[in-house]
């Protein structure tokens, strides 16, 4: 009980009634009730309450509560305590007073039965709030909405039927606020539990009376009383003792279903050992007119089956055996499968007297009874079992994927139609992105709307939802528990969300609601709202408990999906950040690419395009074993390493060899650090040369590329497979593939062609058909491949490169051969100047002259054999000097008084890029010169900047 704690709520209440903001000092339960009262148009100074003069006080609730109320009156004797008992509608049925004289001094609404205290007519009060909140509620002084109750304190608690869970009434204590104490709540709870036990005893007494009536009818006398003691209330254990535990459970469940039908019927049950048992139900009327159902059982042994006659059924001339106490119903006559309940017409047994014989009719008072009870009790038992079945099924069917929206939809599909007719689920946008919502009330969107009818005017999926504080959805977030609204027509909080919209829902038959918060690990994930529109009965507390349990289980799955979404997004972001942002500019290939992550787990697929010297271009695709963050990080390391090895101008087989050694070292390091996972990868490396119009390809356990010829034919070159990276010790081989201009080289990872629903041959055939269009642009080809070949739900990443080849115009290439003679340098220099003039590159002639002079002089001085000079006019001017020596030049910084060592330094300063690559005959030193000089003009070269020894070659 809330005892005076020094906080004066009267000013706060007045500020609220005048439209002011109430930020603190009032419990949310009270504030919500105040808001509902205002929305209903109630006035705090309202004096009159609805009164029902014809209220019936001779009901089972009052009969069960009378002794408890008398005990409470004695317990509070001499005090100013007012004890009230109300029904489930808030109408007072009985009053008791600690001081009898109070009945003469109090106003009639606090004394006489018949006054209605439901919240929607009386405002915030103990009885009305207990019914609205469906739990123990306490009010003190100004927390009451009405002026007339400001001086009182009140506690109220619902009274439930323990069989059905339904609220039967409310027990309340009221007294002056100065007399309030915490002991009131303890006594109130004890008294309510006592009344609930007495209600249960009333049900038990009726069942006992029904059982006795059944026995009396069967025995023709009261001699069946001894069986009553053995049976207990409704169950004949001797009948079921011969069955195993599973069979006994099944028989009881089927018997409860028969009782719930409230009709004469039959069901055949298949037992574990192959035998069959027939259950028969018949209506029983006990003393006082109580109606129930008795269920009898017959166990079929291997022998002749007794026959019976259904009305209108021919035959039946054979006699029933004399020891048959209950006649089974043959399944073929009823036309129902085993285990299915049906309603059968009355049975007519052919007795010997009716057939002209002398055998006495069979008797049935020999312990064949299984269960007896009221239909309502049977209905509750069936409902309880079905709730357990629903929860058991929900454990298997909710959370089958790691998708937040799909998991929420699975919750709705489980609840419709067995619990609700329509379910809507609202989730914050942050949760859909995999994040935690800082404020679940903001950014809420409709994620699921699922029901038996598609025409109900609920907000569509994707629309923003902003629940107001008075709505059940907002209240369930405040309480962090399910909120039940049995009748939406009088739920002002729900209606206030959008009156026009909610009125349309009510007009369509939506009448009851359970709003449940989706809570998991202390995080609010959203709101699930369960509605009924076609089911005539409103939701009850058992339904609320079931909805809460379903939502709790689903919330864990949604949170798992949210966490996965967050990690998946992070890994995907990392994966994409490690892939090329844009392709480099080059003239050899027209390239389009695609990267498509796996549906659930991001893998380690990657691709790269690397311009090399001499207008060549390297293409790489690779696939790291495994998925997730570890695979993405490994992919990034391998891609970086592959790019570095490619920059060294190594042959494809040498690049794969270096990558293989690297993966082996990485795997040993990972194993030493006891981190999970064995590192492995496949890779395909190709280098295309637009001058020779051929590609040099090597692969390490990767799928072969597809080659589209200019005529539209598609082949898959048979290349040496090579071992996957990381095995170590095995060689890789490079193969040259001719690629005429206009050919397409297609590189891909296995996620494109591997699909559980088809074999590889089918996938390759689909790929062949998708590529057989040589006139299509590479980007269109990528789109067609993903549309026709890629799995609908890929289990692995897909990396795809489509490269259309271009050949370099021979007129843009100049080649000179010369012996290793310094005197020939001048001739080559002159030829270069003339060719540059022919190409219109006079502005770079001086720089190119210096570069080639230095490179040729070094080749003459330090190289061996004949020397080849090549100029390539592409996006840049490329100068190449080849000799037969394998000794690479070394860039060094000469001291101030050194006579040599400045040549390569000069090349590095003048060239945009320079380097060395090795060939089968020796090496090539190359330098690239930008075709447009940077702002400020070309760098000036003086004699002091150059190697004096190298100047001899320029003479």
């Amino acid at each position: 009980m809330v005892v005076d704690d020094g906080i004066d709520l009267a000013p706060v209440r007045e500020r609220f009634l005048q439209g002011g903001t109430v930020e603190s000092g009032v419990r949310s339960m009270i504030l919500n009730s105040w808001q509902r009262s205002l929305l209903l148009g109630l006035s705090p100074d309202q004096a009159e309450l609805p009164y029902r003069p014809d209220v019936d006080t001779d009901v089972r609730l009052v009969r069960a509560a009378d002794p408890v109320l008398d005990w409470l009156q004695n317990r509070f004797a001499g005090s100013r305590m007012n004890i009230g008992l109300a029904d489930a509608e808030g109408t007072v049925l009985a009053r008791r007073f600690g001081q009898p004289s109070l009945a003469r001094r109090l106003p009639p609404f606090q004394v006489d039965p018949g006054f209605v205290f439901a919240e929607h007519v009386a405002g915030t009060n103990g009885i009305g709030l207990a019914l609205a909140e469906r739990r123990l509620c306490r009010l003190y002084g100004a927390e009451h909405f009405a002026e007339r109750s400001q001086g009182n304190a009140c506690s109220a608690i619902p009274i439930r039927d323990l069989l059905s869970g339904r609220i039967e009434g409310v027990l309340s204590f009221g007294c002056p606020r100065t007399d309030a104490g915490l002991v009131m709540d303890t006594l109130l709870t004890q008294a309510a539990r006592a009344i609930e036990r007495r209600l249960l005893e009333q049900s038990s007494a009726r069942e006992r009376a029904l059982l006795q009536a059944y026995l009396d009818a069967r025995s023709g006398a009261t001699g069946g009383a001894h069986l009553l003691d053995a049976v207990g209330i409704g169950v004949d254990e001797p009948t079921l003792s011969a069955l195993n535990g599973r069979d006994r459970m099944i028989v009881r469940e089927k018997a409860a279903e028969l009782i719930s039908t409230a009709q004469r019927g039959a069901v055949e049950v298949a037992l574990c050992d192959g035998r069959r048992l027939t259950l028969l139900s018949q209506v029983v009327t006990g003393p006082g007119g109580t109606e129930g159902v008795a269920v009898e059982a017959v166990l079929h042994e291997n022998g002749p089956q007794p026959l019976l006659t259904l009305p209108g059924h021919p035959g039946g001339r054979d006699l029933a055996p004399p020891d048959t106490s209950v006649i089974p119903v043959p399944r073929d006559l009823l036309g129902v499968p085993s285990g299915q309940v049906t309603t059968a017409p009355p049975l007519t047994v052919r007795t010997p007297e009716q057939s002209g014989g002398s055998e006495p009719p069979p008797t049935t008072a020999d312990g064949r009874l299984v269960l007896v009870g009221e239909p309502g009790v049977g209905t509750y038992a069936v409902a309880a079992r079905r709730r357990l079945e629903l929860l058991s099924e929900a454990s298997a069917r909710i959370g089958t994927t790691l998708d937040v929206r799909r998991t929420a939809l699975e919750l709705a599909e489980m609840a419709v139609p067995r619990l609700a007719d329509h379910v809507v689920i609202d989730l914050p946008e942050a949760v859909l992105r995999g994040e935690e919502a800082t404020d679940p009330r903001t950014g809420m969107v409709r994620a699921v709307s699922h029901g038996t009818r598609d025409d109900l005017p609920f907000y569509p999926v994707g629309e923003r939802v902003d629940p107001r504080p008075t709505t059940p959805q907002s209240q369930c977030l405040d309480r962090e528990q399910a909120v039940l609204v049995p009748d939406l027509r009088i739920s002002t909080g729900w209606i206030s969300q959008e009156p026009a919209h909610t009125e349309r829902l009510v007009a369509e038959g939506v009448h009851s609601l359970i709003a449940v918060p989706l809570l998991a690990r202390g995080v609010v994930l959203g709101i699930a709202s369960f509605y009924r529109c076609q089911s005539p009965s409103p939701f009850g507390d058992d339904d609320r408990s079931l909805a809460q349990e379903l939502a709790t289980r689903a919330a864990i799955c949604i949170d798992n999906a949210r966490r996965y979404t967050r990690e998946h997004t992070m890994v995907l972001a990392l994966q994409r950040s490690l892939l090329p942002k844009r392709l480099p500019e080059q003239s050899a290939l027209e390239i389009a690419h695609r990267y498509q992550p796996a549906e659930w787990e991001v893998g380690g697929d990657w691709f790269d395009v690397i311009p090399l010297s001499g207008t060549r271009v390297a293409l790489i695709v690779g696939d790291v074993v495994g998925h997730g963050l570890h695979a993405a990080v490994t992919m990034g390391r391998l891609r970086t390493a592959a790019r570095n090895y490619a920059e060294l101008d190594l042959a494809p087989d040498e690049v794969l060899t270096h990558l293989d050694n690297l993966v082996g070292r990485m795997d040993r390091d990972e194993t030493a650090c006891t981190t999970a996972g064995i590192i492995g990868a496949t890779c395909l490396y190709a280098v295309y040369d637009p001058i020779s119009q051929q590609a040099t390809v090597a692969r390490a356990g990767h799928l072969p590329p597809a080659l589209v010829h200019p005529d539209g034919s598609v082949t898959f070159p048979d290349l040496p497979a090579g071992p996957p990276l990381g095995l170590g010790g095995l060689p890789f081989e490079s193969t040259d593939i001719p690629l005429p201009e206009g050919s397409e080289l297609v590189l891909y990872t296995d996620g494109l062609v591997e699909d559980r629903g088809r074999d590889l041959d089918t996938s390759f055939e689909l790929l062949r058909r998708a590529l057989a269009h040589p006139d299509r642009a590479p980007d269109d080809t990528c789109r067609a491949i993903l549309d026709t070949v890629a799995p609908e739900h890929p289990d692995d990443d897909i990396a795809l490169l489509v490269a259309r080849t271009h050949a370099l115009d021979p007129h843009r290439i100049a080649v000179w051969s010369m012996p290793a003679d310094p005197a020939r340098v001048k001739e080559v220099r002159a030829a270069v100047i003339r060719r540059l003039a022919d190409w219109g590159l006079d502005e770079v002639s001086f720089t190119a002259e210096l570069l080639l002079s230095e490179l040729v002089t070094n080749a003459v001085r330090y190289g061996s054999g004949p020397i080849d000079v090549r100029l390539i006019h592409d996006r840049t001017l490329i100068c190449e000097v080849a000799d037969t020596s394998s000794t690479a030049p070394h860039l060094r910084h000469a001291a101030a008084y050194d006579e040599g060592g400045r040549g390569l330094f000069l090349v590095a300063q003048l060239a945009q890029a320079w380097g060395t690559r090795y060939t089968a005959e020796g090496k090539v030193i190359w330098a690239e010169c930008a075709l447009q000089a940077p702002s400020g003009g070309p760098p000036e070269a003086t004699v002091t900047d150059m190697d004096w020894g190298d100047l001899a070659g320029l003479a």
Side-chain angles (χ1 to χ4, degrees):
M1 188 69 190
V2 178
V3 184
D4 191 355
D5 54 4
I7 299 177
D8 186 5
L9 287 181
V12 179
R13 177 175 171 276
E14 287 301 321
R15 185 166 64 253
F16 169 79
L17 294 175
Q18 293 172 7
T21 302
V22 178
E23 298 179 352
S24 61
V26 182
R27 292 179 291 159
S28 61
M29 175 178 66
I30 301 299
L31 183 58
N32 290 333
S33 181
W34 285 357
Q35 292 171 336
R36 292 194 296 266
S37 300
L38 282 183
L39 289 171
L40 287 165
L42 301 178
S43 174
D45 57 2
Q46 178 181 341
E48 299 296 331
L49 285 177
Y51 178 69
R52 294 175 51 193
D54 58 344
V55 62
D56 184 7
T57 59
D58 187 18
V59 293
R60 60 189 293 260
L61 175 62
V62 175
R63 291 193 295 269
D66 268 340
V68 180
L69 296 179
D70 292 340
W71 175 79
L72 288 173
Q73 185 175 21
N74 292 330
R75 175 65 177 77
F76 290 112
S79 69
R80 292 183 291 178
M81 184 64 68
N82 181 349
I83 306 163
L85 178 70
D87 63 14
E89 303 299 326
T91 303
V92 176
L93 301 178
R95 291 284 193 184
R96 295 290 193 277
F97 303 96
Q99 294 178 359
S101 60
L102 285 176
R104 297 189 296 272
R105 300 198 304 267
L106 294 176
F109 71 86
Q110 288 185 293
V111 176
D112 298 335
F115 283 96
V116 182
F117 283 83
E119 185 189 65
H120 65 276
V121 295
T124 308
N125 70 89
I127 294 175
L129 195 58
L131 289 173
E133 297 288 328
R134 309 181 79 81
R135 55 180 171 142
L136 173 65
C137 295
R138 303 173 291 269
L139 286 87
Y140 181 78
E143 289 184 328
H144 291 84
F145 183 77
E147 297 284 356
R148 60 177 175 268
S149 303
Q150 297 297 294
N152 296 332
C154 181
S155 289
I157 188 172
I159 298 172
R160 303 177 187 275
D161 185 327
L162 295 180
L163 288 174
S164 66
R166 183 178 61 246
I167 292 178
E168 295 288 335
V170 177
L171 180 64
S172 67
F173 290 170
C175 65
R177 59 183 181 183
T178 55
D179 295 349
L182 294 175
V183 70
M184 288 174 57
D185 287 351
T186 303
L187 289 175
L188 186 67
T189 303
Q190 292 176 352
R193 299 296 172 261
I195 296 174
E196 289 172 349
R197 287 194 297 271
R198 289 182 59 80
L199 285 172
L200 182 61
E201 289 172 2
Q202 287 183 4
S203 299
S204 300
R206 288 199 303 274
E207 276 199 356
R208 288 177 177 273
L210 286 172
L211 178 60
Q212 188 63 59
Y214 166 81
L215 296 176
D216 290 345
R218 283 300 190 184
S219 64
T222 59
H226 67 281
L227 185 59
L228 177 63
D229 297 332
V231 171
I233 301 178
V235 178
D236 182 8
E237 292 297 344
T239 302
L240 304 179
S241 60
L243 306 180
N244 62 37
R246 181 178 180 276
D247 285 340
R248 283 198 298 270
M249 180 186 67
I250 294 174
V251 168
R252 288 194 182 97
E253 289 178 355
K254 295 301 180 183
E257 291 184 12
L258 278 173
I259 290 176
S260 67
T261 64
Q263 302 179 64
R264 184 165 186 169
V267 61
E268 187 175 280
V269 181
L271 303 178
C272 293
D273 57 6
R275 295 181 298 170
R276 292 180 297 113
L277 183 145
T278 298
L279 298 177
L280 298 173
S281 64
Q282 61 179 339
V283 177
V284 179
T285 302
T290 303
E291 291 189 354
V293 177
V295 179
E296 302 165 323
V298 168
L299 184 63
H300 305 309
E301 304 290 350
N302 295 329
Q305 298 296 313
L307 295 181
L308 56 108
T309 300
L310 297 174
H313 191 279
R317 288 177 292 178
D318 293 333
L319 302 180
D323 60 344
T324 302
S325 57
V326 178
I327 305 300
V329 181
R331 183 175 46 169
D332 56 342
L333 294 182
L334 289 176
V336 295
S338 176
Q340 179 176 334
V341 177
T342 186
T343 299
L347 305 179
T348 303
V349 180
R350 296 279 185 142
T351 64
E353 290 82 1
Q354 294 167 331
S355 302
S358 59
E359 295 292 337
T363 60
T364 58
D366 60 351
R368 303 267 182 179
L369 177 68
V370 174
L371 201 65
V372 64
E374 293 181 84
V377 177
T379 302
Y380 303 146
V382 173
R385 179 166 60 85
R386 288 175 179 169
R387 286 194 292 270
L388 291 175
E389 291 173 350
L390 180 59
L391 290 174
S392 176
E393 187 176 348
S395 299
R397 289 184 53 188
I398 297 178
T400 59
T401 68
L402 287 172
D403 181 80
V404 174
R405 290 182 184 271
R406 178 59 199 169
T407 304
L409 179 59
E410 289 170 345
L411 167 60
E413 291 174 341
M414 281 302 306
V416 176
R418 287 187 280 182
L419 173 61
D421 297 321
H422 201 97
V423 176
V424 298
I425 299 176
D426 303 322
L427 302 175
E429 290 179 316
V431 172
L432 295 174
R433 296 193 302 266
E435 305 167 5
E436 291 186 9
T438 55
D439 184 359
R441 289 178 176 80
T442 60
M444 192 87 71
V445 296
R446 179 62 43 87
V448 172
S449 180
H450 176 72
T452 56
R453 291 174 53 187
D454 296 331
D455 58 340
L456 291 176
F458 286 101
Y459 294 132
V461 172
E463 186 164 333
R464 294 186 67 88
V465 179
D466 184 18
R468 294 187 178 182
T470 57
T471 60
Q473 286 80 2
S474 183
Q475 292 176 24
C476 78
L477 293 179
D478 292 334
R479 304 177 190 175
E480 295 190 352
Q481 62 183 7
V483 172
L484 168 61
V485 183
D487 191 351
L488 288 174
R489 294 169 297 180
I490 61 174
S491 175
T492 53
W494 178 71
I495 293 174
S496 68
Q497 175 70 20
E498 188 177 332
H501 177 71
T502 52
E503 286 175 6
R504 289 176 56 201
L505 288 173
V506 171
E508 291 291 339
V510 178
H511 61 83
S512 191
L513 163 69
I514 299 175
V516 189
L518 297 172
L519 292 169
R521 304 179 180 97
V523 178
V524 178
L525 304 174
I527 304 170
S529 300
F530 301 81
Y531 291 92
R532 278 188 178 171
C533 55
Q534 293 177 298
S535 303
S537 59
F539 285 119
D541 285 285
D542 285 346
D543 298 317
R544 178 177 62 174
S545 299
L546 178 58
Q548 180 77 68
E549 183 65 25
L550 281 175
T552 299
R553 299 189 182 198
I556 296 296
C557 297
I558 291 175
D559 191 48
N560 290 339
R562 178 191 66 81
R563 290 167 178 255
Y564 167 79
T565 300
R566 179 185 61 190
E567 294 179 3
H568 183 269
T569 302
M570 293 172 56
V571 174
L572 183 58
L574 174 63
Q575 173 87 342
R576 292 191 183 278
S577 70
L578 296 174
L579 293 173
K581 301 295 185 301
R582 59 183 180 86
L583 297 183
E585 295 182 356
Q586 44 82 33
S587 304
L589 296 169
E590 180 185 353
I591 300 176
H593 62 90
R594 292 289 189 278
Y595 170 74
Q596 182 174 314
E599 185 171 24
W600 299 118
E601 287 190 281
V602 177
D605 293 16
W606 90 91
F607 65 90
D608 212 343
V609 178
I610 308 170
L612 301 178
S613 63
T615 69
R616 297 170 306 134
V617 179
L619 304 176
I620 309 175
V621 291
D623 184 1
V624 174
V625 174
H627 297 84
L629 184 63
H630 184 264
V633 172
T634 302
M635 178 276 291
R637 298 170 68 182
L638 285 182
R639 177 178 173 252
T640 301
R643 192 173 188 89
N644 291 334
Y645 294 142
E647 295 284 357
L648 295 176
D649 254 331
L650 300 177
D653 56 326
E654 294 182 51
V655 171
L656 294 183
T657 299
H658 284 290
L659 288 176
D660 181 56
N661 294 332
L662 174 64
V663 172
R665 291 194 300 272
M666 290 168 58
D667 193 31
R668 289 191 294 273
D669 293 342
E670 295 283 341
T671 304
C673 296
T674 67
T675 55
I678 297 176
I679 298 176
T682 65
C683 184
L684 188 146
Y685 186 90
V687 176
Y688 172 68
D689 187 347
I691 297 177
S692 64
Q693 297 184 42
Q694 72 176 13
T696 304
V697 185
R699 62 185 180 126
H702 204 84
L703 293 172
L707 177 58
V708 184
H709 298 274
D711 61 358
S713 60
V714 180
T715 60
F716 296 91
D718 185 14
L719 305 176
L725 300 177
L727 294 183
L730 298 177
F732 300 96
E733 298 182 43
S734 295
T735 303
D736 292 334
I737 303 175
L739 293 178
E741 185 172 13
S743 303
E744 284 185 345
L745 189 63
V746 181
L747 282 61
Y748 51 90
T749 55
D750 55 5
L752 177 67
V753 294
E754 290 185 355
D755 187 357
R756 297 178 182 178
R758 67 185 183 215
D759 55 31
L760 276 178
D761 291 339
T762 302
S763 297
F764 281 120
E765 182 59 30
L766 291 174
L767 180 59
R768 187 190 306 274
R769 294 176 185 174
L771 292 174
H773 299 275
D775 56 339
R776 194 162 48 193
D779 194 71
D780 294 335
T781 301
C782 282
R783 187 179 302 109
I785 291 174
L786 292 182
D787 291 343
T788 59
V789 184
E792 184 177 358
H793 302 286
D795 295 327
D796 197 2
D797 291 9
I798 297 174
L800 175 64
L801 275 179
V802 176
R804 175 169 293 169
T805 63
H806 295 292
L808 191 63
D809 187 352
H811 298 291
R812 300 170 73 90
I813 305 172
V815 179
W816 298 274
S817 295
M818 56 173 285
D821 182 1
R824 303 291 300 273
V825 175
K826 184 176 181 179
E827 299 176 9
V828 172
R829 185 177 63 186
V832 167
I833 293 174
R834 288 193 300 270
R835 180 55 60 92
L836 293 178
D838 295 340
W839 286 344
L841 300 180
D842 295 322
E843 69 276 7
V844 297
S845 178
F846 177 74
T847 303
E849 181 183 358
L850 289 179
L851 289 175
L852 272 176
S853 296
E854 177 61 33
L855 295 179
V856 171
T857 301
N858 278 345
V860 170
R861 176 174 295 182
Y862 303 110
S864 62
I867 298 172
D868 293 327
V869 178
R870 185 168 71 169
L871 283 183
I872 302 174
H873 180 196
D874 191 42
R875 293 175 179 269
T876 60
L877 180 65
I878 303 172
C879 308
E880 295 184 344
V881 176
D883 61 51
T884 58
S885 171
S886 59
T887 303
H890 177 64
L891 176 65
R892 65 187 182 89
H893 296 279
Y897 300 101
D898 288 347
E899 295 186 357
R902 295 180 177 84
L904 285 180
F905 179 77
L906 177 63
V907 170
Q909 294 298 310
L910 295 176
Q912 179 175 282
W914 73 281
T916 304
R917 69 174 181 269
Y918 293 93
T919 64
E921 296 80 15
K923 69 175 182 296
V924 175
I925 305 176
W926 57 270
E928 289 187 10
C929 180
L931 295 182
Q932 292 183 352
S935 60
E940 296 182 359
T942 63
V943 173
T944 57
D945 295 324
M946 301 175 63
D947 191 320
W948 286 103
D950 292 343
L951 287 177
L954 300 176

